[in-house]
Amino acid sequence: MTKSYRVAILGATGAVGTELLELLDERNFPLSDLKLFASSRSAGKTMKFKGEDLLVEEVGDRSFANVDIVLASAGGSTSKALAPKAVASGAVVIDNSSAFRMDEQVPLVIPEVNPDAASHHQGIIANPNCTTILMAVAIYPLHKARQIQRIVAATYQSASGAGARAMEEVKNQSQEILQGKAPTSEVFPYPIAFNLFPHNSPMTANGYCEEELKMVNETRKIFNAPQLRITATCVRVPVLRAHSEAINLEFEQPLSVEEAKEILSQSKGVRIVEDWQANYFPMPIDATGEDDVLVGRIRLDISHPNGLELWLCGDQIRKGAALNAVQIAELLVEQNLLSAKSYQSSAIS
Amino acid sequence: MTKSYRVAILGATGAVGTELLELLDERNFPLSDLKLFASSRSAGKTMKFKGEDLLVEEVGDRSFANVDIVLASAGGSTSKALAPKAVASGAVVIDNSSAFRMDEQVPLVIPEVNPDAASHHQGIIANPNCTTILMAVAIYPLHKARQIQRIVAATYQSASGAGARAMEEVKNQSQEILQGKAPTSEVFPYPIAFNLFPHNSPMTANGYCEEELKMVNETRKIFNAPQLRITATCVRVPVLRAHSEAINLEFEQPLSVEEAKEILSQSKGVRIVEDWQANYFPMPIDATGEDDVLVGRIRLDISHPNGLELWLCGDQIRKGAALNAVQIAELLVEQNLLSAKSYQSSAIS
């Protein structure tokens, strides 16, 4: 008989929380109990799971007493406050916020890329930034084959990255503009419908925004390649869901298009989508709802002897967030990394 | 007394043609006569110019008999067929299509970048590709200062690049999707509303689309830098008008942010738009209707010792097409490069 687990979703009513619920169902995660938590604003709502209405409870310090796995997607400050308490009460927290990602004690895991890192967890495992996950899944197999030296990335990030309300804002603003009205901005600082702007995460001293530095620092940590040179320009676009990225790669040694395709066609979590005749390549609407990162336009970079260009789209809520978190949970189950005892002992080893 | 000129607009009813008409008015171009030409489909319409109704005539072989300057924006095949005839009848053709851009006999001119090239014309001057113009205006001053070695560009191209009907398609599809209907694609191969896709220009053998190779080859020609290494990924986004570009530059020698800003603040056709506190940088809605290319997020590239990143937006119809063409016409007037005699003699010299 398969073991089953007591799971809690923190931030259950958000865009990622909703997707977590769907994925636990769809992937038949071995559940013995499922609890939904949110802030007081959303507490009292119900959400469907396998035909049953589950009550969303207000999260508190003692919410995780009888929980094995917490899938947290309620923002950095909530995670910072509650994750240590959940761990203290015996749960493992898979945290979708940026709170712990760069913490040296916390593994930052993409199951297709660095599953082994999970075994060193001390109660918290961080789920990487969405844009980072999508890029890493697509390029890590190439990195393994020929060592990437430098990445120049430009992103095309959908509204879903800013949550469910942001997705509504794109639609509402579009409607307003089509009716000749001025668009109302509540979530984003500037109108996003029929417009775009550099990613609105806080700017840092070197002129990169936090989103861009996440791509830089998290990719280095996940690849265990602290010297990897990465630059990125992150941009919000009026797409509802699924991010796109134009990725320029410089390798230590040349990598042919044929070899890159061969490698990617064997890689988990990646699907090559290319119809050169029809000019058909990955698009957000095709990546939406998909588990795989769609990769295409794989071509030699004409500006660099060891360069390769590629284009990708991936569902930001799914593989970029909820799916990756559930895959980490599955990994913990498979490798028996869940009980407090097991992770404490492996932390010592 | 200022001399005045007989001007014809070919493709007058299109998105660029309409803008040409507006710019000739707005900039008080010295006109003694203005003729509007289009295909038989649009002939018979009237267009307003300085309060007067001008008739759009069907273009024919003899349309340019009494014309000094033809501003052509009717597509490559029309230009190929008619430009030589216009030149033979004594006109100078400023051609917005790609038909002659890479012709060694034809100067490819951005007045802020290579005005001197215009003097070698033999009757035809080509107006560069819109994406190329916007990038070139922004980076040429930096290239002059410190020699660019390599450019990695990613574009965010608005619907206007595919004409007035494409701009309607974005709006119509958005309306359809908001009403829960399937979007109707007529101009673009795939839905563009709330979506995006790699640029739909024909693919070439090396995996670059024609739009991308225009950026590569035209920039090299305009900069007179045949060895300049350039790669680009061109992408269509659901923006109505004004293109955006994420540009990564590698210089021969380091260029500081301060120096880059100092240079660009002195450069014609460029305006720095940066409010780091407010996370406010160039956006398509702010570039729309503007003559200048808006440049921002100028920062040192953390992945390359001589690298610089910048972000730009520019009105694709205006500086990317119509304005640049009118500026070329103004240049021809100022430098007395219009009469058949003058350009024939300079062609020999």
Side-chain angles (χ1 to χ4, degrees):
Chain A
M1 195 193 130
T2 321
K3 240 182 113 178
S4 59
Y5 301 87
R6 300 164 299 175
V7 172
I9 299 178
L10 173 56
T13 55
V16 174
T18 309
E19 197 76 15
L20 284 167
L21 201 63
E22 270 184 51
L23 284 162
L24 291 176
D25 181 3
E26 185 186 315
R27 297 171 75 88
N28 273 314
F29 190 85
L31 290 170
S32 60
D33 186 35
L34 177 58
K35 287 201 162 68
L36 306 183
F37 294 108
S39 66
S40 58
R41 209 181 49 203
S42 297
K45 289 183 183 173
T46 59
M47 297 179 81
K48 285 263 180 232
F49 184 74
K50 292 190 187 285
E52 210 182 311
D53 280 321
L54 296 185
L55 183 69
V56 179
E57 299 172 61
E58 183 175 350
V59 71
D61 285 358
R62 300 183 50 80
S63 297
F64 307 107
N66 297 302
V67 168
D68 300 309
I69 303 172
V70 180
L71 299 167
S73 187
S77 56
T78 306
S79 285
K80 261 210 160 109
L82 295 177
K85 289 174 180 152
V87 173
S89 68
V92 173
V93 178
I94 301 168
D95 184 38
N96 202 47
S97 82
S98 61
F100 301 102
R101 287 181 191 150
M102 296 311 295
D103 187 324
E104 282 184 17
Q105 307 300 314
V106 175
L108 184 64
V109 175
I110 303 173
E112 293 90 340
V113 175
N114 62 338
D116 295 346
S119 63
H120 307 296
H121 82 83
Q122 296 175 36
I124 301 174
I125 296 181
N127 208 33
N129 163 270
C130 51
T131 317
T132 306
I133 293 178
L134 302 176
M135 178 171 80
V137 168
I139 69 172
Y140 186 70
L142 306 177
H143 177 65
K144 267 201 304 190
R146 205 70 101 259
Q147 207 71 25
I148 296 170
Q149 303 276 295
R150 181 172 177 239
I151 303 169
V152 180
T155 72
Y156 303 67
Q157 297 185 227
S158 62
S160 57
R165 279 180 62 227
M167 295 169 77
E168 282 309 302
E169 183 154 303
V170 176
K171 289 194 266 186
N172 292 341
Q173 288 184 350
S174 300
Q175 192 62 73
E176 289 169 329
I177 290 168
L178 290 170
Q179 291 171 347
K181 296 177 195 162
T184 313
S185 296
E186 286 174 353
V187 181
F188 290 121
Y190 307 108
I192 181 76
F194 306 114
N195 193 34
L196 51 82
F197 44 80
H199 196 280
N200 54 305
S201 53
M203 278 294 156
T204 70
N206 64 3
Y208 284 72
C209 68
E210 285 185 2
E211 183 80 0
E212 290 159 355
L213 292 183
K214 287 174 187 172
M215 290 184 78
V216 174
N217 296 325
E218 294 183 19
T219 304
R220 287 174 172 168
K221 178 169 175 176
I222 297 161
F223 285 17
N224 191 21
Q227 305 304 324
L228 183 55
R229 291 181 290 132
I230 308 174
T231 181
T233 299
C234 289
V235 178
R236 293 266 194 214
V237 294
V239 165
L240 293 175
R241 187 170 160 158
H243 290 352
S244 307
E245 305 180 24
I247 309 282
N248 181 281
L249 300 170
E250 297 171 27
F251 293 93
E252 200 173 74
Q253 299 291 328
L255 178 67
S256 74
V257 169
E258 294 66 34
E259 204 175 341
K261 284 190 189 175
E262 177 61 23
I263 292 165
L264 291 178
S265 67
Q266 313 276 333
S267 301
K268 271 191 196 161
V270 177
R271 190 160 86 242
I272 297 176
V273 171
E274 288 189 332
D275 181 341
W276 292 86
Q277 290 285 319
N279 214 321
Y280 176 71
F281 302 104
M283 299 194 289
I285 53 172
D286 290 339
T288 295
E290 296 293 312
D291 288 351
D292 287 334
V293 177
L294 311 184
V295 179
R297 297 213 63 206
I298 303 158
R299 62 199 194 277
L300 289 183
D301 173 358
I302 54 174
S303 78
H304 193 283
N306 300 347
L308 197 82
E309 291 267 16
L310 59 82
W311 168 253
L312 67 84
C313 295
D315 189 317
Q316 173 274 321
I317 302 181
R318 215 168 165 90
K319 182 59 190 171
L323 174 62
N324 198 71
V326 173
Q327 288 175 317
I328 292 172
E330 291 168 348
L331 183 70
L332 296 176
V333 167
E334 278 164 29
Q335 311 216 342
N336 196 26
L337 295 166
L338 269 171
S339 74
K341 221 174 144 192
S342 76
Y343 69 75
Q344 278 167 1
S345 61
S346 65
I348 291 160
S349 71
Chain B
M1 197 190 131
T2 322
K3 241 181 115 177
S4 59
Y5 301 86
R6 299 165 299 177
V7 172
I9 300 177
L10 173 58
T13 56
V16 174
T18 309
E19 197 76 15
L20 284 167
L21 201 62
E22 270 184 51
L23 284 163
L24 291 175
D25 181 3
E26 186 185 314
R27 297 172 73 89
N28 273 314
F29 191 86
L31 290 169
S32 61
D33 186 36
L34 178 58
K35 285 199 163 71
L36 306 183
F37 294 108
S39 67
S40 58
R41 208 182 49 201
S42 298
K45 289 183 183 172
T46 59
M47 296 178 83
K48 284 265 180 229
F49 184 75
K50 292 187 187 283
E52 211 181 311
D53 280 323
L54 296 185
L55 183 70
V56 179
E57 300 172 60
E58 182 176 350
V59 70
D61 286 357
R62 301 184 48 78
S63 296
F64 307 106
N66 297 302
V67 168
D68 299 310
I69 303 171
V70 179
L71 298 167
S73 187
S77 57
T78 306
S79 284
K80 259 209 162 106
L82 294 178
K85 288 175 180 152
V87 173
S89 68
V92 173
V93 178
I94 300 167
D95 184 39
N96 202 46
S97 82
S98 62
F100 301 103
R101 287 182 191 149
M102 295 311 296
D103 187 324
E104 283 185 16
Q105 306 301 312
V106 174
L108 185 64
V109 175
I110 303 173
E112 292 91 340
V113 175
N114 63 338
D116 295 346
S119 63
H120 307 295
H121 83 84
Q122 297 175 35
I124 301 173
I125 297 180
N127 207 34
N129 164 268
C130 50
T131 316
T132 307
I133 292 178
L134 302 176
M135 177 172 81
V137 167
I139 70 172
Y140 186 70
L142 306 177
H143 177 65
K144 266 200 306 188
R146 207 69 100 262
Q147 206 73 24
I148 296 170
Q149 305 274 295
R150 180 172 178 237
I151 303 168
V152 180
T155 73
Y156 303 68
Q157 298 185 226
S158 62
S160 57
R165 278 179 64 227
M167 295 170 76
E168 282 310 303
E169 183 153 303
V170 177
K171 290 193 268 186
N172 293 340
Q173 287 184 352
S174 299
Q175 191 63 73
E176 288 169 330
I177 291 168
L178 290 170
Q179 292 171 346
K181 298 178 194 161
T184 315
S185 297
E186 287 174 352
V187 179
F188 289 120
Y190 307 107
I192 181 77
F194 305 114
N195 192 35
L196 52 81
F197 44 79
H199 197 279
N200 54 305
S201 52
M203 278 293 157
T204 69
N206 64 3
Y208 285 72
C209 68
E210 286 185 1
E211 183 79 0
E212 291 159 353
L213 292 183
K214 286 174 188 173
M215 290 185 79
V216 174
N217 296 325
E218 294 182 19
T219 303
R220 287 174 171 166
K221 178 169 175 176
I222 296 162
F223 286 16
N224 191 23
Q227 306 303 324
L228 182 55
R229 292 180 290 132
I230 309 174
T231 181
T233 300
C234 289
V235 179
R236 294 266 195 214
V237 294
V239 166
L240 293 175
R241 184 169 162 161
H243 290 353
S244 306
E245 306 180 24
I247 309 282
N248 181 282
L249 300 170
E250 297 171 27
F251 293 92
E252 200 173 72
Q253 299 291 330
L255 177 66
S256 73
V257 170
E258 295 65 34
E259 203 175 345
K261 283 190 188 174
E262 176 62 24
I263 292 163
L264 291 178
S265 67
Q266 313 276 333
S267 301
K268 272 190 196 162
V270 177
R271 191 160 84 242
I272 297 176
V273 172
E274 287 189 334
D275 180 341
W276 294 85
Q277 290 285 320
N279 214 322
Y280 175 73
F281 301 105
M283 299 194 289
I285 53 170
D286 290 338
T288 296
E290 295 294 310
D291 288 352
D292 287 335
V293 177
L294 310 185
V295 179
R297 296 212 66 206
I298 303 159
R299 62 198 194 278
L300 289 184
D301 173 0
I302 54 174
S303 78
H304 193 285
N306 301 345
L308 196 83
E309 291 267 17
L310 59 84
W311 168 255
L312 66 86
C313 295
D315 189 317
Q316 174 274 323
I317 303 181
R318 214 169 167 90
K319 182 58 190 173
L323 175 61
N324 198 70
V326 173
Q327 287 174 317
I328 293 172
E330 290 168 347
L331 182 71
L332 296 176
V333 167
E334 277 162 29
Q335 311 216 341
N336 197 26
L337 296 165
L338 270 170
S339 74
K341 220 173 145 191
S342 75
Y343 68 74
Q344 278 168 0
S345 62
S346 64
I348 291 160
S349 71

